Amino acid sequence: MRNTLFFLALLAGCSGDANHMGNPLLLPLSGLTTAASNAIYSQRRGAVEVFVKTNHPALIDQINAGTGPILEQAMDTAQIPTQDRPARIIQLQSDLGLYAATPGALVTALMVYGG
């Protein structure tokens, strides 16, 4: 009887309705998926950060010019879709003073634009 009640309580949590936790039976899988996704993101962010800090002055110059191979490589590393790049360059140019003074802000912007 006790096992039946426990099973029914778990089953009741498995509705198709929207909730903040999702299906409780899938939480272990969700945790593994989230951990893998976070690891991939952290690796990409690390690569973008190293690239930006290594090439910062040239990158600022190319953002100001609106084009250049270093800017393209930074966007490739951040995985910014090709079709979004012209608009993103304009956005980067609008805050160029911030990015020139703070490389970390440029890293964050590139990561946000990369999704």
Side-chain angles (χ1 to χ4, degrees):
M1 178 75 169
R2 186 175 177 177
N3 287 337
T4 303
L5 288 175
F6 178 73
F7 179 73
L8 288 174
L10 279 178
L11 192 58
C14 298
S15 73
D17 296 335
N19 62 53
H20 71 283
M21 288 182 53
N23 185 334
L25 297 177
L26 297 178
L27 284 178
L29 180 61
S30 176
L32 290 174
T33 304
T34 300
S37 178
N38 286 346
I40 292 168
Y41 176 86
S42 294
Q43 183 177 9
R44 183 169 54 103
R45 183 178 175 87
V48 170
E49 186 170 355
V50 167
F51 187 84
V52 167
K53 289 182 178 178
T54 302
N55 299 289
H56 188 253
L59 193 52
I60 294 301
D61 289 342
Q62 291 184 13
I63 290 170
N64 191 36
T67 188
I70 294 173
L71 178 57
E72 287 297 318
Q73 190 173 354
M75 291 185 159
D76 287 342
T77 305
Q79 299 177 0
I80 298 172
T82 305
Q83 66 273 15
D84 293 351
R85 291 180 183 188
R88 300 307 184 193
I89 290 170
I90 292 169
Q91 289 175 310
L92 290 171
Q93 288 172 332
S94 70
D95 289 323
L96 194 58
L98 171 65
Y99 303 136
T102 313
L106 179 56
V107 171
T108 300
L110 291 171
M111 290 303 296
V112 168
Y113 297 156

